[in-house]
Amino acid sequence: MDEMKVLDALLSLEILSSLFDTNFVKAPYIDKPTQAEEKRGETLKKAKDFMLRDADGQATTAKVLYDAFIKVGFNETQAFELTKTTLENN
């Protein structure tokens, strides 16, 4: 019975080692950017465009927050730190 367990374990190890053996696997030849890379580039461009379009709104939000903190009695340094924290957490 123990011999069967040992044989099963050795066979399992051999199967696992063959799954991770990369000696016979060749890296693919890449001549041009893949579709995934192209899609990533498009997505990054769209995100950058969105951020630029939305920059005015974000700046307005930051200013409103800062002014609100000043209005309720925080000093400039405290208001600035609270604004940063609020914007980072949202």
Side-chain angles (χ1 to χ4, degrees):
M1 187 70 133
D2 289 331
E3 293 172 355
M4 291 302 290
K5 289 181 181 179
V6 171
L7 184 60
D8 286 343
L10 288 174
L11 184 58
S12 297
L13 285 174
E14 184 62 32
I15 291 170
L16 285 174
S17 68
S18 69
L19 291 173
F20 296 108
D21 185 14
T22 58
N23 292 337
F24 301 106
V25 178
K26 295 183 180 179
Y29 176 74
I30 299 174
D31 187 31
K32 61 181 180 178
T34 62
Q35 287 180 341
E37 290 169 335
E38 290 171 359
K39 192 71 164 172
R40 180 177 181 271
E42 291 172 13
T43 303
L44 288 175
K45 183 180 181 325
K46 287 178 183 177
K48 185 177 178 181
D49 290 346
F50 172 77
M51 287 179 9
L52 290 174
R53 283 193 315 268
D54 196 45
D56 290 337
Q58 293 175 17
T60 301
T61 300
K63 178 69 170 140
V64 168
L65 281 170
Y66 178 81
D67 290 342
F69 289 127
I70 295 288
K71 184 177 180 181
V72 295
F74 291 100
N75 66 35
E76 291 177 355
T77 303
Q78 292 170 328
F80 180 72
E81 292 301 320
L82 287 167
T83 301
K84 283 188 344 185
T85 303
T86 303
L87 293 174
E88 287 172 355
N89 291 330
N90 289 324

